[in-house]
Amino acid sequence: MLEGKKIFVVLPAYNAAATVEEVLDIVDTNDIVDQIVLVDDGSSDHTAQLARARGVHTVCHGDNRGYGANQKTCYREALRLGADVVVMLHPDLQYSPRFGDGDGGNDHIRRV
């Protein structure tokens, strides 16, 4: 929580089993994140099972609906669960999941 606001991280996932645990490890170290939501977009690997095993709120599309639909489900689910602020991270490590890690890439996401 940050300044009384519930902070949710959403992860739009598709076949991210190879990297999702690393991303979860990094996000779990951030003390302002209240909840993580992963939406699995019809993956053929075990992305959803890995997330659930870590206690992550996980939603699965029965088939691949595409990135835009995955994003929409992420936002809808986070808002349904009571998020005040939603931060989308990529579970495939396309971008750094670190919050304010000093590399200049995402320093705008940090404790104020």
Side-chain angles (χ1 to χ4, degrees), residues 52-88:
R52 282 191 181 115
R54 298 281 297 265
V56 172
H57 181 86
T58 304
V59 175
C60 293
H61 289 168
D63 55 354
N64 184 275
R65 298 181 189 174
Y67 184 59
N70 196 332
Q71 285 184 345
K72 288 178 185 178
T73 302
C74 283
Y75 290 129
R76 281 188 193 122
E77 190 66 8
L79 293 172
R80 186 186 73 77
L81 294 171
D84 295 307
V85 176
V86 180
V87 178
M88 180 172 287

